[in-house]
Amino acid sequence: MTSEQVVEDSPQARRREQRGWYFYDWANSAFPTTVLTVFLGPYLTTIAETAARGRPYVDVLGFDVRPSAYYSFVVGVAAVLQIVLMPVAGALADHTGRKKELLGLFAYLGAGATLCFWFVADGRYLLGGALFVTANVAFAAAFVIYNSFLPEISTADERDRVSSQGWGFGYLGGGLLLAVHLALFLGHESFGVTEGEAVRLALSSAGLWWGGFTIIPLLRLRNRRAIPPGGENAAQAVVGSFRQLGRTIRELRRYPLTLAFLVAYLIYNDGVQTVISFSATYADKELGLGQDVRIGAILMVQFVAFFGAVLLGRLAVSYGAKRVVMTALVAWVAVVGVAYFLPKGAALPFFALGFAIAIVMGGTQALSRSLFSHVIPAGKEAEYYSLYEISDKGSTFLGSFTLGLALQLTDSYRLGIVSLVIFFVLGLTLLALVDLPKAIRAAGNRVPEHL
C-alpha cells in the first residue's frame, strides 16, 4: 500500500482534516516563540541567580552549576531526551495506530507543563528546569506525530501547499500571541504587574493557548489504521513499538536515497537554525542594536514568515518543491554574505535582512517537510518523521560548534556569521545530487507532477 492509498478520497473530507491540522501549528507555535525564543532563558537564569544569593553556584542534583550556565545545561538535557524519545513516540504511533490519541497525550503534557511556569518564582529554578524539560520533550514528540499526518491527509500534489500553509499558520499564531506578550512585558507597570509576573503570565498563557487550540485538530483528524478490539496493554505496545523501531532502522539501508535526503536536510537546516539563533547575538554584540530593535525584528520576522511560507508553497506548485528549496538555499548564501557587511548601529539594513530571512525561512522548512513525506514508506510515517526531527534537533550542534570555532579562532562575529555559508553550499550540493523521483518510487509512492 502506498501513502497515496491511505488518503481520504473525498476532497471535502481532506480539506476538513487539513484545516484542523493547520490549527496544531497555530497552537504549538506559542511554545517556540514565547517560551524558547524570548522569555524563558533570561527569566530562568534570573531565578537561578536569585536562588544563589550571591554564591557562585547553585545545587543541581548534587552538582555545582553556575546560574549563568543553568539554562544551557537544561536545554542540553532536553535535547538528549528528545533524541532518545522521539523515535519511541513515532514507533508507538505507527505500531498502535493511535496517532490522534498520542498527539493529544503529548500535546497536553507539554501544554500542562508550560501552564505550570506560573509557579516558577522565588528561586524555584529546579521546578523551572523540570517543567522545561517535560514541555520541550513533549513538544518534540507531539510534533513528530503531527508531521506524520501530512501524507495521510493530502495527496502527493497537494502536499507542498498543505505543509506550507500549516507552517505559515503557525508563524501567524505564534506572532499574534507574542505581540500580546511583548505588549504586556513592555507595559507591565500600566497593567499593574511586576516584570516577573508579566513573564510568568506570558509563559503560562502560552501553555493555555497551546492546549486550547489543540482541541480543534483532535476533533478533525482521524486514525487511519483500525485499532483491534481489546488491543494491547501499555507494556505490550511499548515493547512492540521498540521492536518495530529496530526493524525500521535496519530497513533504512533499503532506502539509501531517503537517507541521503536526510543528510542533506541535516546540513542545510543546521545553517538555518544557527543563523536564526545567532541573529539576536549578532545584532547586539556586533551591530550594537538595542533591545527595542531586536524585539521589533522578532515580531516582523514572525508575520513576514507567514507570507513567505505561503508564497514559496505556491511557487512549489508551479515549479516543484526541490527547485524552490534549492533557490531558497542560494538566497540563504546571499543573506549570510550580506550580513557580513551590515553597518554598525543601523537598524534599517538589519530589518531589511530580517525581512529576507523571513521570506525564505518558513518556505525552506515547510517544503523540506513535504519533500520528505514523499520518500517515506507507507505505514512508517511517524517513525521516519522522528528521524527527520532528530536531524532537526541534533543538527544545531554542528552549526554551534562551527560558529564557536570561528569565533574562537578569529574573535570576529562577522567572520563567524559568514562561516555558516558552508552549510548552505554543502546542503545545496547534496540535495541537488539526490534523485528524488527514484527515491519516491523506491519508497512505493507516486511521483508528484511537480517536484
Side-chain angles (χ1 to χ4, degrees), residues 327-341 353 356 421 424:
T327 304
L329 293 177
V330 173
W332 276 107
V333 172
V335 161
V336 171
V338 169
Y340 178 85
F341 296 101
L353 190 67
V421 165
F424 298 113

Side-chain angles (χ1 to χ4, degrees), residues 32 36-38 71 75 269-285 294 298 301 332 350 357 361 365 392-393 395-401 403-404 407 413 417 420 424:
L36 296 181
T37 303
V38 179
Y71 181 66
V75 170
N269 185 61
D270 199 340
V272 172
Q273 297 298 331
T274 307
V275 169
I276 292 170
S277 62
F278 186 61
S279 294
T281 303
Y282 189 70
D284 179 22
K285 302 299 182 183
R294 299 197 301 273
I298 289 171
V301 166
W332 276 107
F350 181 70
I357 288 175
M361 178 175 66
Q365 295 171 316
D392 188 2
K393 308 301 180 190
S395 67
T396 52
F397 166 78
L398 299 173
S400 299
F401 177 79
L403 183 61
L407 290 171
Y413 285 98
I417 194 76
L420 299 176
F424 298 113

Side-chain angles (χ1 to χ4, degrees), residues 172-358:
L172 188 59
L176 285 172
L177 186 63
L178 181 60
V180 172
H181 288 157
L182 289 175
L184 171 65
F185 177 74
L186 296 174
H188 62 87
E189 291 181 353
S190 61
F191 289 105
V193 297
T194 66
E195 184 176 291
E197 287 171 338
V199 172
R200 287 159 57 206
L201 279 169
L203 293 171
S204 58
S205 62
L208 193 63
W209 176 285
W210 182 2
F213 282 107
T214 295
I215 293 172
I216 298 173
L218 292 182
L219 288 175
R220 294 206 170 180
L221 294 172
R222 65 184 181 85
N223 295 322
R224 257 56 185 189
R225 286 181 53 194
I227 302 170
E232 301 171 310
N233 60 38
Q236 290 171 329
V238 171
V239 171
S241 67
F242 270 108
R243 289 174 179 164
Q244 181 165 328
L245 176 61
R247 289 193 296 270
T248 297
I249 293 174
R250 289 193 299 271
E251 290 171 1
L252 186 58
R253 58 189 173 187
R254 293 172 46 195
Y255 307 105
L257 292 174
T258 298
L259 182 59
F261 177 87
L262 269 178
V263 172
Y265 171 74
L266 184 152
I267 292 171
Y268 69 72
N269 185 61
D270 199 340
V272 172
Q273 297 298 331
T274 307
V275 169
I276 292 170
S277 62
F278 186 61
S279 294
T281 303
Y282 189 70
D284 179 22
K285 302 299 182 183
E286 179 61 35
L287 304 181
L289 299 174
Q291 185 181 33
D292 56 339
V293 174
R294 299 197 301 273
I295 288 174
I298 289 171
L299 278 176
M300 181 203 68
V301 166
Q302 285 295 125
F303 290 109
V304 175
F306 164 74
F307 296 102
V310 173
L311 172 63
L312 266 63
R314 291 183 177 177
L315 290 174
V317 172
S318 301
Y319 300 102
K322 180 180 178 181
R323 187 175 301 172
V324 173
V325 170
M326 291 174 65
T327 304
L329 293 177
V330 173
W332 276 107
V333 172
V335 161
V336 171
V338 169
Y340 178 85
F341 296 101
L342 287 181
K344 280 183 174 288
L348 188 58
F350 181 70
F351 271 98
L353 190 67
F355 185 90
I357 288 175

Side-chain angles (χ1 to χ4, degrees), residues 57-235:
Y57 303 103
V58 290
D59 178 72
V60 180
L61 304 179
F63 295 94
D64 288 335
V65 176
R66 292 188 184 277
S68 59
Y70 177 63
Y71 181 66
S72 296
F73 282 123
V74 169
V75 170
V77 170
V80 170
L81 289 175
Q82 284 177 333
I83 290 170
V84 171
L85 295 178
M86 281 191 297
V88 178
L92 192 61
D94 285 336
H95 178 72
T96 63
R98 297 179 181 270
K99 286 187 179 182
K100 187 169 76 168
E101 291 83 355
L102 287 168
L103 174 64
L105 171 66
F106 290 120
Y108 281 108
L109 177 62
T114 305
L115 183 63
C116 288
F117 277 127
W118 171 256
F119 301 105
V120 179
D122 302 323
R124 297 181 188 136
Y125 63 96
L126 290 177
L127 174 63
L131 289 173
F132 172 76
V133 169
T134 301
N136 210 25
V137 172
F139 173 84
F143 206 69
V144 164
I145 299 169
Y146 164 72
N147 281 341
S148 75
F149 276 101
L150 177 60
E152 296 184 343
I153 63 171
S154 56
T155 66
D157 294 317
E158 293 173 336
R159 219 159 286 168
D160 295 333
R161 173 185 59 81
V162 172
S163 182
S164 297
Q165 289 188 357
W167 213 283
F169 209 49
Y171 280 123
L172 188 59
L176 285 172
L177 186 63
L178 181 60
V180 172
H181 288 157
L182 289 175
L184 171 65
F185 177 74
L186 296 174
H188 62 87
E189 291 181 353
S190 61
F191 289 105
V193 297
T194 66
E195 184 176 291
E197 287 171 338
V199 172
R200 287 159 57 206
L201 279 169
L203 293 171
S204 58
S205 62
L208 193 63
W209 176 285
W210 182 2
F213 282 107
T214 295
I215 293 172
I216 298 173
L218 292 182
L219 288 175
R220 294 206 170 180
L221 294 172
R222 65 184 181 85
N223 295 322
R224 257 56 185 189
R225 286 181 53 194
I227 302 170
E232 301 171 310
N233 60 38

